[in-house]
Amino acid sequence: LAKTTQPISMDSYEGQEVNITCSHNNIATNDYITWYQQFPSQGPRFIIQGYKTKVTNEVASLFIPADRKSSTLSLPRVSLSDTAVYYCLVGDINRGSTLGRLYFGRGTQLTVWP
Amino acid sequence: EPEVTQTPSHQVTQMGQEVILRCVPISNHLYFYWYRQILGQKVEFLVSFYNNEISEKSEIFDDQFSVERPDGSNFTLKIRSTKLEDSAMYFCASKREGGDRYTEAFFGQGTRLTVV
């Protein structure tokens, strides 16, 4: 499994765009990149997933360069309620013998200030 | 939006007692999981379950743990003789079968287990 590295913590202010970068130098050809969000005392929640280039949904964008050795989660105009831990996961999470086992690292604690 | 529901939200038990944590996965999902998170630590995989049997388990999931899908809706995690170090938040998750590669895992709100 490709190891992921992301900042331990980030701070931002309301209304700003936040970019959280994750490095995954050993990503394999079949690996997808997935981001989850976790609020205190709640289960992780899927945010976005991608394989290459750019993916956008109603809450975030995911930028993946051509070499796929890193990815950046972009949260536009954050609010106080975006304060959470954000996890970058890499792996063939949909197929294969692990049948979707997820490997969570430490994640990035994002704190949004008023 | 469909959701995974877990009961109870909080359980306190004495060391050595058996506990059963209950989960109702999303109805059309076929892959089920238990994870746990000790306070301040990472979310850790315990076990995956598919087609009425365990698909994979981690080193944490020893003989004290068992899972069951007793009927068409519930998915349970049993800890036979709880230890203090079993105190954690336990999350159930479910996933729709593939066909579509982008099948996300949906997590429940968790059960906070406190062993005293």
Side-chain angles (χ1 to χ4, degrees):
Chain A
L1 273 166
K3 184 182 172 189
T4 60
T5 304
Q6 49 183 126
I8 294 172
S9 64
M10 292 182 72
D11 290 288
S12 181
Y13 291 97
E14 281 191 293
Q16 289 190 333
E17 178 184 78
V18 170
N19 295 308
I20 306 174
T21 297
C22 177
S23 64
H24 26 80
N25 291 318
N26 297 322
I27 191 168
T29 304
N30 292 334
D31 286 343
Y32 286 76
I33 300 154
T34 310
W35 286 80
Y36 277 78
Q37 174 194 56
Q38 187 182 27
F39 298 113
S41 298
Q42 291 189 28
R45 186 173 73 103
F46 173 90
I47 302 174
I48 198 166
Q49 184 181 71
Y51 184 79
K52 62 181 179 181
T53 63
K54 178 184 173 183
V55 180
T56 297
N57 62 22
E58 63 276 8
V59 297
S61 295
L62 179 59
F63 298 92
I64 305 168
D67 66 5
R68 304 200 325 123
K69 292 183 185 299
S70 67
S71 58
T72 299
L73 175 72
S74 181
L75 304 171
R77 294 183 300 283
V78 294
S79 64
L80 297 177
S81 62
D82 291 316
T83 293
V85 179
Y86 292 82
Y87 298 98
C88 165
L89 290 82
V90 171
D92 190 359
I93 66 171
N94 290 303
R95 301 238 184 244
S97 60
T98 57
L99 290 177
R101 170 179 178 172
L102 299 175
Y103 294 86
F104 289 87
R106 290 281 179 190
T108 297
Q109 170 67 58
L110 172 66
T111 303
V112 180
W113 302 95
Chain B
E1 181 179 289
E3 59 180 18
V4 175
T5 56
Q6 291 185 242
T7 54
S9 56
H10 190 187
Q11 174 134 15
V12 182
T13 188
Q14 288 200 323
M15 193 168 53
Q17 295 296 305
E18 174 183 286
V19 294
I20 298 176
L21 309 183
R22 302 180 193 281
C23 169
V24 179
I26 294 172
S27 61
N28 63 345
H29 286 190
L30 298 178
Y31 296 94
F32 313 113
Y33 310 85
W34 283 100
Y35 289 81
R36 80 170 187 191
Q37 186 174 32
I38 295 171
L39 186 63
Q41 299 193 23
K42 294 190 290 187
V43 177
E44 301 174 293
F45 168 81
L46 292 178
V47 66
S48 60
F49 192 86
Y50 170 70
N51 201 26
N52 285 320
E53 61 182 20
I54 290 174
S55 308
E56 186 182 8
K57 56 185 180 181
S58 71
E59 59 280 1
I60 302 169
F61 194 90
D62 61 22
D63 292 344
Q64 294 299 314
F65 291 88
S66 63
V67 289
E68 196 176 38
R69 188 155 162 82
D71 52 42
S73 60
N74 292 286
F75 180 51
T76 61
L77 174 70
K78 182 194 290 186
I79 309 175
R80 285 192 189 81
S81 178
T82 50
K83 304 188 280 284
L84 294 176
E85 54 264 37
D86 293 327
S87 295
M89 196 78 161
Y90 287 80
F91 295 109
C92 173
S94 71
K95 211 164 165 299
R96 184 166 55 89
E97 187 173 14
D100 173 6
R101 286 194 82 99
Y102 296 93
T103 51
E104 66 195 77
F106 289 80
F107 284 77
Q109 292 289 82
T111 293
R112 181 172 298 285
L113 177 65
T114 303
V115 182
V116 297

